[in-house]
Amino acid sequence: MSCELINRAHLAGVSTSHAVWRHFAATLDVSHQQQPPQHFVDEVLDASIRNPCVLSAPRDPKHTREVVAWLAEQWRLRRWTVPSEFQLDSFPDVDDTVDLFYKTYTGWGGGPLGPGITLMESSGGITRSTTGLTTWCGAAVLAEWVANNPTVVAGKRVLELGAGVGFSASAILTSPDTEHLPPSSYFATDCHHQVLTLLHHNLTLNLADPPLQRACLEEFRARVSHQLEEERLVTPEEKCEEPLPWSPPAAATTDPTHATLAVVREEEDGQGCVGVMQVDWRHPPRLPPVDVVLAADVVYCRNLIQPLVSLLRSILEGSDGQKEQRQPQQEAQRDSGEKGCNSEEEMRATDGGGLRKQEAFLACTRRSHETLSLFLQEVTRQGLQYTLVFQASMDADTALFVYNEIHLPVKVYKITLPREDTREH
């Protein structure tokens, strides 16, 4: 158990100040009253800095040094002889101004680089004036809830708002629980251009077959780090308040009807398309057809609450041509004698008129308690309904994210249009 904890914590780049490391330290006192044998030292190293997964993608050398120094300190505190493997001399210090490296989260999904999902991200909370370069705990709760309720996305056209670096999308799309009930399409969206660059890369990384090679990942990291550093040096007078447009990678397949939509995975037999798209909630573009909206940790900024709810309402209403896009398919089904719904479950998922009923599911942390209240008020003001469908608290011993939401529940809300009979009253 102790080596499993250190494996999860090191691969996810968790600072040694977090609770998971204190829990590992406590297991040392229980399992070893005297100097641990060499095989235990090897087990600790194999689980952390010598883990094969570490070699698959560039890791943060500063974090490696932090872990080694922490291990040496734990041995000293217990008056044990510090193993030579815990000496920092063999781990060169790297002065890197850009905090952007690969992390692997075991326990969610399963990518081509090994168990868990691997993402390139920052270890800071707000980096380069955006929260989107870091994984937040709401994304993990949302992914876990969807994995436990795979019919929410099964065969559906999914749109994720504020997808960030792609934790939820990568976990959902590679989860064994949703592999046999996959979405028919999944479009991950965000606004910040560099967040979208990482989002596209991370989805490609976790869906690639064969896996991307380390040299390719090192080249990508160096290029994006250079771009971020150049932007950091831009003076306040030169900065633009409007979001910079995102240009999909040159090698990516694009959709001419949606300027910023870059395809990560092509459709196979009309199923399984995955894409990335720039969406500014204040001025949303025309969106692809949507059945289910997902979002995590997006309710934190007062100024964006009204645009967010307005966008949710337009999607749930099937605005922006979405209902019209589905009509020809339904007419073709009627002409060919096919049923619009093939099961009782699909019948319940429609609004009674042959159109699939759209739903939104948002995971919100209590960190944003005040703005969450404002969000729910705005949902009601705009004539939508919300229902609490799930609530979870992060485990202090194994939380792997930048901010441990210890004892602060993450709530998943379902947002829908009111039923027709409710509107009449």
Side-chain angles (χ1 to χ4, degrees), residues 305-314 317 375-385 416-418:
I305 288 177
Q306 187 274 328
L308 171 61
V309 177
S310 296
L311 177 58
L312 288 174
R313 181 174 179 85
S314 69
E317 287 178 334
F375 168 73
L376 296 178
Q377 291 173 18
E378 183 66 19
V379 166
T380 302
R381 191 189 71 80
Q382 293 203 30
L384 302 176
Q385 292 181 333
T416 59
L417 289 170

Side-chain angles (χ1 to χ4, degrees), residues 265-285:
R265 185 172 69 191
E266 301 279 359
E267 282 188 354
E268 294 183 6
D269 300 325
Q271 297 288 318
C273 179
V274 176
V276 170
M277 185 177 184
Q278 186 172 38
V279 174
D280 182 349
W281 302 343
R282 298 166 299 178
H283 310 289

Side-chain angles (χ1 to χ4, degrees), residues 191-233:
C191 188
H192 192 283
H193 66 292
Q194 292 292 10
V195 173
L196 286 161
T197 297
L198 264 64
L199 174 60
H200 186 276
H201 171 75
N202 286 334
L203 285 177
T204 303
L205 174 64
N206 285 284
L207 299 176
D209 185 20
L212 299 182
Q213 298 299 308
R214 182 184 174 105
C216 173
L217 303 186
E218 289 177 338
E219 186 278 330
F220 176 81
R221 178 194 169 275
R223 176 163 51 84
V224 176
S225 296
H226 178 70
Q227 293 172 355
L228 285 171
E229 184 61 16
E230 284 189 331
E231 291 180 10
R232 187 183 69 84
L233 299 176

Side-chain angles (χ1 to χ4, degrees), residues 105 108 117 119 121 134-147 160-172 186 294-298 362-365 367 394 401 405 410-412:
Y105 297 93
W108 285 275
I117 57 175
L119 306 173
E121 62 176 283
T134 297
T135 295
W136 299 80
C137 64
V141 173
L142 179 66
E144 182 179 6
W145 179 76
V146 172
E160 184 181 351
L161 299 175
V165 292
F167 183 99
S168 293
S170 297
I172 290 170
Y186 196 112
L294 299 177
D297 282 323
V298 296
L362 278 72
C364 307
T365 66
R367 176 185 62 250
M394 300 305 293
F401 306 98
E405 302 297 330
V410 180
K411 299 180 178 181
V412 179

Side-chain angles (χ1 to χ4, degrees), residues 143-362:
E144 182 179 6
W145 179 76
V146 172
N148 291 331
N149 299 272
T151 55
V152 167
V153 298
K156 309 286 183 61
R157 295 165 295 191
V158 179
L159 181 81
E160 184 181 351
L161 299 175
V165 292
F167 183 99
S168 293
S170 297
I172 290 170
L173 292 169
T174 62
S175 169
D177 299 289
T178 54
E179 266 189 336
H180 66 290
L181 293 171
S184 63
S185 64
Y186 196 112
F187 294 106
T189 73
D190 213 292
C191 188
H192 192 283
H193 66 292
Q194 292 292 10
V195 173
L196 286 161
T197 297
L198 264 64
L199 174 60
H200 186 276
H201 171 75
N202 286 334
L203 285 177
T204 303
L205 174 64
N206 285 284
L207 299 176
D209 185 20
L212 299 182
Q213 298 299 308
R214 182 184 174 105
C216 173
L217 303 186
E218 289 177 338
E219 186 278 330
F220 176 81
R221 178 194 169 275
R223 176 163 51 84
V224 176
S225 296
H226 178 70
Q227 293 172 355
L228 285 171
E229 184 61 16
E230 284 189 331
E231 291 180 10
R232 187 183 69 84
L233 299 176
V234 173
T235 64
E237 294 75 16
E238 296 175 307
K239 290 183 179 179
C240 179
E241 292 186 2
E242 292 299 314
L244 295 175
W246 177 63
S247 298
T253 304
T254 56
D255 186 332
T257 61
H258 304 283
T260 63
L261 176 55
V263 177
V264 175
R265 185 172 69 191
E266 301 279 359
E267 282 188 354
E268 294 183 6
D269 300 325
Q271 297 288 318
C273 179
V274 176
V276 170
M277 185 177 184
Q278 186 172 38
V279 174
D280 182 349
W281 302 343
R282 298 166 299 178
H283 310 289
R286 187 169 184 267
L287 299 173
V290 179
D291 298 318
V292 175
V293 178
L294 299 177
D297 282 323
V298 296
V299 181
Y300 60 88
C301 180
R302 287 171 174 265
N303 296 337
L304 293 177
I305 288 177
Q306 187 274 328
L308 171 61
V309 177
S310 296
L311 177 58
L312 288 174
R313 181 174 179 85
S314 69
I315 294 173
L316 296 176
E317 287 178 334
S319 304
D320 200 21
Q322 291 184 49
K323 286 187 177 180
E324 290 80 355
Q325 291 177 26
R326 287 186 300 225
Q327 198 64 32
Q329 179 182 356
Q330 293 160 359
E331 291 176 356
Q333 288 177 336
R334 286 197 297 269
D335 293 342
S336 63
E338 296 179 5
K339 293 183 180 180
C341 299
N342 297 319
S343 67
E344 181 180 349
E345 180 178 333
E346 288 185 340
M347 287 292 291
R348 289 196 300 269
T350 64
D351 60 9
L355 295 176
R356 188 183 293 277
K357 184 177 180 181
Q358 285 120 322
E359 302 171 317
F361 297 93
L362 278 72

Side-chain angles (χ1 to χ4, degrees), residues 77-94:
L77 287 173
R78 291 159 180 79
R79 301 183 183 280
W80 299 337
T81 302
V82 178
S84 59
E85 293 90 343
F86 294 172
Q87 304 298 330
L88 288 176
D89 297 343
S90 57
F91 299 94
D93 195 6
V94 178

